[in-house]
Amino acid sequence: MASYKDFLLNRLLDHLGIDKKIPDEKLIQELVSSEKLRAKILAFVLTVMLIVIIIIGLVYSEEFKPTYSSTFVFLITAGMILFLLLRTIILNKVVKHWTRFGFGWFNFFRYVNIFLEISIPTIVLYFYSFFIPSVYPLLTPISSIYFIIIFLSALELDAHLSIFSGLIAAAEFTILAMILLDNSTTKNISPVLQFFPMYLGKALLFALSGFIAAMVTNQVKKILLRYFETREERNKIEHIFGQMVSKEIVEDILNNHTEIVSRTRFACIMFLDIRNFSLFAENKSPEEIIEYQNKVFAPLIEIVNKHKGIVTQIMGDGFMAIFGAPIEHENDCQLALNAAIEIHKVIREKNENGDIPITKIGIGLNAGEVVTGNVGAENRKQYSITGRAVIVAARLEQLNKEFNSELLISKAVFERINLDGLKPVRHFQVKIKGQSEPIEVYQII
């Protein structure tokens, strides 16, 4: 059953218009903690304005004093900064324990918070009118703070909140302009400054800014959605390959944007078989058989992955692996041989240490043109490899019984590898079951 906290997260996601399947709680915490960032930015803006006013008061003291009291300006600006700092402390508490309030109260708090922020320049401009005559406060840089607050609302990723901030700013500025224009001192100012539509136009700009911020918010959400869709696609690719592919191969596929489609390519195929597995399993319980298979196959599959191969099929007593698909490397035949030699070494060590029952294996390697691609239904697909090269590799693995060997490779593999001191035994004109022409085979181990 979903917890109350999950319910609140889903409500918030619904309100923000974000797919609940995409983000997680960390994203939600980032969204709600943006409140703190906005408060800090506003405090910084007002601090800068306070410093500018002090500098102007010192440099232009004669012009400054007759207009309005620098002490009053300092106190009102400092008061606004103090208000923002206190609000930041409250926000820290609310954001940290927001689920206790419930979504309704939390969402209500966000709108109240925006309203209070928009009211800051309105209050400052109104009190400035006590010292600056008539509508002159509306012409000061203080009125530009509305734009900053409106655009900061985009951090909430809530288009409705941005529109709300623009409309509140427009309404408060319009009402303030009407109050100041109603003042009798307007008779002594320029007729241009008494023209109400001029202030109404600025108010409309505030409202328009809210809608622009909302558009920015929606665009940011689209970018986030595209990001999460990319992550989801990445997870799908990892799911398709599951545990049969190394992380390095997955990274190559994703970074190179490799499409998993049917295609013909040159690759090296490995078949591995555990000798006499049927006799071993004859008197064993299913649990014992599974335990044995895990002990044997787990390190072998890791070796294949380490050498950039993919185990595509696991049978009861063996597996099939491919080197060179879906990502081609400089010498996949060499990688396959190195993996086979290391597998032989690991099996021998485990036998000697008593980690597993005495186990013998047979490995066949062949290289050639194969067809690779995803085969299966929409909800269940498997990376498949077909072609004559696959059949020959399987037959080589079976030939190990005839030659009493553990690793046989075809001429196609032999011509592409460096044996590094190994001296293979060459078998001429070997008849392969199901093939009309005999082939040349090399016994490595």
Side-chain angles (χ1 to χ4, degrees), residues 286-298:
E287 292 77 13
E288 290 175 314
I289 295 173
I290 293 296
E291 182 182 3
Y292 171 73
Q293 288 175 316
N294 288 335
K295 284 183 177 180
V296 174
F297 286 142

Side-chain angles (χ1 to χ4, degrees), residues 45-58:
V45 170
L46 289 176
T47 301
V48 171
M49 294 193 65
L50 175 61
I51 294 173
V52 170
I53 291 172
I54 292 174
I55 294 175
I56 292 175
L58 292 174

Side-chain angles (χ1 to χ4, degrees), residues 251-263:
E251 289 298 324
D252 281 343
I253 294 170
L254 296 172
N255 293 336
N256 295 318
H257 306 287
T258 302
E259 294 185 4
I260 308 172
V261 295
S262 296
R263 56 171 293 190

Side-chain angles (χ1 to χ4, degrees), residues 266 268 323 331-338 365 367 412-413 416-417:
F266 186 89
C268 187
F323 296 78
N331 193 337
D332 289 295
C333 289
Q334 187 69 53
L335 291 170
L337 177 66
N338 294 343
L365 294 182
V413 176
R416 292 173 171 82
I417 60 173

Side-chain angles (χ1 to χ4, degrees), residues 42-89:
L42 283 176
F44 173 76
V45 170
L46 289 176
T47 301
V48 171
M49 294 193 65
L50 175 61
I51 294 173
V52 170
I53 291 172
I54 292 174
I55 294 175
I56 292 175
L58 292 174
V59 176
Y60 300 98
S61 57
E62 295 301 322
E63 296 86 351
F64 194 74
K65 290 179 181 178
T67 307
Y68 52 92
S69 170
S70 59
T71 302
F72 173 79
V73 172
F74 177 85
L75 289 176
I76 191 66
T77 309
M80 292 297 113
I81 295 173
L82 180 61
F83 163 76
L84 288 173
L85 292 176
L86 290 174
R87 194 201 60 167
T88 301
I89 296 174

